Amino acid sequence: MVQGFDYPMSNLRIAILVSDKDEHNAILDYVQRLPKNSRSGPPVQVLYREKDLGIERLDRKDDNVQRNRRRLLARLRNFLLYSTLRDEDFVFWIDSDMIEIPSDLMSRMARSGKDIITTPARFGPNGHFYDLNAWAGDRIKPNAEEQKTIEEGGIFVPRHAAVKFAHDLEGEFGHLDSVGGTVLFVRSEVHKEGAAFTTNYVIGSGWKHEGYDGIETEGLCYVAGFLGYECWGMPTAITIHSDK
């Protein structure tokens, strides 16, 4: 898919993070079996980082696993970022479940001059829009009882008050308060200056308790905003996520 992008392959490096040993070995085996004349393209670095919460794939969207699941995703993203980022102009994040990305998307994002950009993602070619972590607007704050539950380690599910998602925006680019991670463009200086993927709910947190919102990709925009950077969505650049 990446080799199909209309971006100079000589300017790219691919870094893949795998947290399953069998999949890691399968990737290495696949690369080694390729004919030598098929190994053209960007250099590929494969990292193995063993982290497993024991969450079944079908259960990964359950409310009671989101805190630990997204904390782990943030840790893995940051590990990959800090282990591989060198002097690149930008980082182009692709979720492992993505199956279709417009060939000109990377080039358009790079030319835009914008700091952080994401796109709407459909769940399968004809499915619903999948990545609802990309939004602009207001989220509901916990009431006093819910805040007490949070401070005691209980579950609070962030809820939308009045938001527009990436696919609701108009024009080529629209401003976002939060991004998802299915396809995500980040200028490297944004990462290098400290905007990474937050490993806890940073909004509403205290020294000794978790907050109620702003973890992982959503926290990226929260931190970047204080550094003077902005997040954007490209509503017409539809990408396709696997429906499996």
Side-chain angles (χ1 to χ4, degrees), residues 160-201:
H160 299 299
V163 303
K164 284 187 175 182
F165 297 106
H167 58 273
D168 297 322
L169 302 175
E170 298 178 355
E172 183 178 11
F173 295 97
H175 184 265
L176 291 173
D177 294 310
S178 171
V179 293
T182 50
V183 175
L184 180 63
F185 171 97
V186 184
R187 285 201 296 124
S188 61
E189 70 178 81
V190 179
H191 279 318
K192 288 179 177 180
E193 289 187 4
F197 301 94
T198 53
T199 55
N200 65 292
Y201 288 100

Side-chain angles (χ1 to χ4, degrees), residues 48-76:
Y48 175 66
R49 181 72 168 171
E50 186 174 7
K51 295 288 183 182
D52 185 7
L53 294 178
I55 300 172
E56 295 295 332
R57 183 172 175 80
L58 293 176
D59 300 329
R60 71 190 190 281
K61 296 299 182 182
D62 291 353
D63 291 341
N64 63 333
V65 303
Q66 288 312 298
R67 177 188 297 160
N68 289 334
R69 173 180 173 270
R70 298 201 66 190
R71 193 190 319 281
L72 176 59
L73 288 174
R75 292 174 64 182
L76 292 174

Side-chain angles (χ1 to χ4, degrees), residues 59-124:
D59 300 329
R60 71 190 190 281
K61 296 299 182 182
D62 291 353
D63 291 341
N64 63 333
V65 303
Q66 288 312 298
R67 177 188 297 160
N68 289 334
R69 173 180 173 270
R70 298 201 66 190
R71 193 190 319 281
L72 176 59
L73 288 174
R75 292 174 64 182
L76 292 174
R77 287 183 184 276
N78 290 335
F79 181 84
L80 177 60
L81 175 68
Y82 296 139
S83 298
T84 60
L85 183 60
R86 298 176 188 171
D87 58 353
E88 292 81 10
D89 293 329
F90 60 84
V91 180
F92 193 75
W93 296 89
I94 303 176
D95 185 85
S96 62
D97 293 328
M98 298 307 296
I99 59 174
E100 186 176 328
I101 297 174
S103 61
D104 65 344
L105 183 60
M106 181 185 288
S107 296
R108 290 170 62 190
M109 289 178 165
R111 290 195 304 265
S112 72
K114 299 191 180 302
D115 306 315
I116 301 173
I117 316 170
T118 193
T119 67
R122 285 194 179 278
F123 193 63

Side-chain angles (χ1 to χ4, degrees), residues 121-165:
R122 285 194 179 278
F123 193 63
N126 301 306
H128 60 273
F129 284 105
Y130 175 80
D131 195 348
L132 301 184
N133 293 329
W135 50 267
D138 296 316
R139 300 254 269 189
I140 295 174
K141 298 179 180 179
N143 58 34
E145 182 177 346
E146 290 170 329
Q147 182 63 38
K148 182 179 179 181
T149 298
I150 293 168
E151 293 178 8
E152 293 174 349
I155 295 173
F156 175 81
V157 181
R159 307 184 301 279
H160 299 299
V163 303
K164 284 187 175 182
F165 297 106

